[in-house]
Amino acid sequence: MQQRRLGKGGPTVSAIGLGCMSMSQSYGARDDEESIRAIHRALEVGVTFFDTAAIYGQGHNEGLVGRALGARRRDVVLATKCGILPASGGGIDADGSPAEIASSCDASLRRLGTDVIDLLYLHRVDPKTPIEESVGAMAGLVREGKVRFIGLSEAAPATVRRAQAVHPIAALQSEYSLWFREPERDVLPVC
């Protein structure tokens, strides 16, 4: 499996990672046994990058991924996300407040069964909280040893620049495919 470095000083990961969201929500009924088999097979073929989030299955996905990795946890780069909460009438709300980021991180560490998160993303930029405060809180988690690297998800170029001024951003997760090429215009050049 080819390897890639995230950012200038970020972790090295397999070129193909496994996004685990669909194992807990959105695409049909859960099948934990089948999902664990898929994670184990990914490990067998050299996948070392696993992506989950606190919101996926309302925490279920992190627990599932943590159980599946088990003793192999140290062999992988484990990414999770904070900053999205279920909204009171359905849907989701962004919450990038320092208090929510700290609380979410602690809950993620418990569910994942690990003492450190390799890559913690802010799942969505919170319009109510300046990005400098959100990234500052995440940088604090790095200083505390709870997180190794930080990233952003679906952030605009100006937001990435402001975040980078606070703490190095190792990764940016954005929708990008053959059907959606917009990041080529402004996001990728900033990266």
Side-chain angles (χ1 to χ4, degrees):
M1 175 76 64
Q2 292 183 358
Q3 302 290 304
R4 302 278 191 272
R5 178 168 297 283
L6 299 181
K8 291 182 180 179
T12 299
V13 299
S14 55
I16 298 173
L18 182 60
C20 299
M21 179 189 76
S22 64
M23 296 176 180
S24 296
Q25 70 174 53
S26 300
Y27 299 106
R30 295 178 187 165
D31 185 337
D32 288 357
E33 290 180 24
E34 181 64 25
S35 296
I36 289 170
R37 280 193 297 275
I39 291 169
H40 290 172
R41 181 66 179 138
L43 288 164
E44 288 172 15
V45 299
V47 173
T48 63
F49 186 59
F50 292 82
D51 181 273
T52 183
I55 192 72
Y56 297 164
Q58 309 242 350
H60 172 268
N61 197 248
E62 288 179 327
L64 173 73
V65 170
R67 283 192 317 276
L69 292 176
R72 300 282 312 269
R73 163 64 185 100
R74 298 289 179 216
D75 300 337
V76 304
V77 173
L78 184 53
T80 194
K81 299 174 209 72
C82 63
I84 289 185
L85 300 173
S88 60
I92 56 173
D93 280 331
D95 187 346
S97 67
E100 177 55 33
I101 288 169
S103 174
S104 181
C105 178
D106 289 341
S108 291
L109 287 166
R110 281 191 302 280
R111 286 188 296 264
L112 290 164
T114 190
D115 59 346
V116 65
I117 295 166
D118 298 310
L119 175 59
L120 179 66
Y121 288 98
L122 181 62
H123 208 154
R124 290 294 183 273
V125 175
D126 177 0
K128 302 176 301 300
T129 305
I131 192 65
E132 293 84 357
E133 290 181 26
S134 299
V135 172
M138 296 169 76
L141 296 171
V142 172
R143 287 189 299 276
E144 291 176 41
K146 294 179 178 182
V147 171
R148 290 194 174 103
F149 302 97
I150 63 175
L152 301 175
S153 182
E154 300 297 338
T159 303
V160 174
R161 285 187 183 100
R162 289 171 49 208
Q164 178 71 22
V166 174
H167 188 274
I169 303 300
L172 178 64
Q173 188 176 73
S174 299
E175 180 181 357
Y176 180 50
S177 70
L178 293 174
W179 296 273
F180 188 78
R181 306 299 292 255
E182 287 182 32
E184 292 175 352
R185 194 176 58 234
D186 55 6
V187 174
L188 293 182
V190 170
C191 293

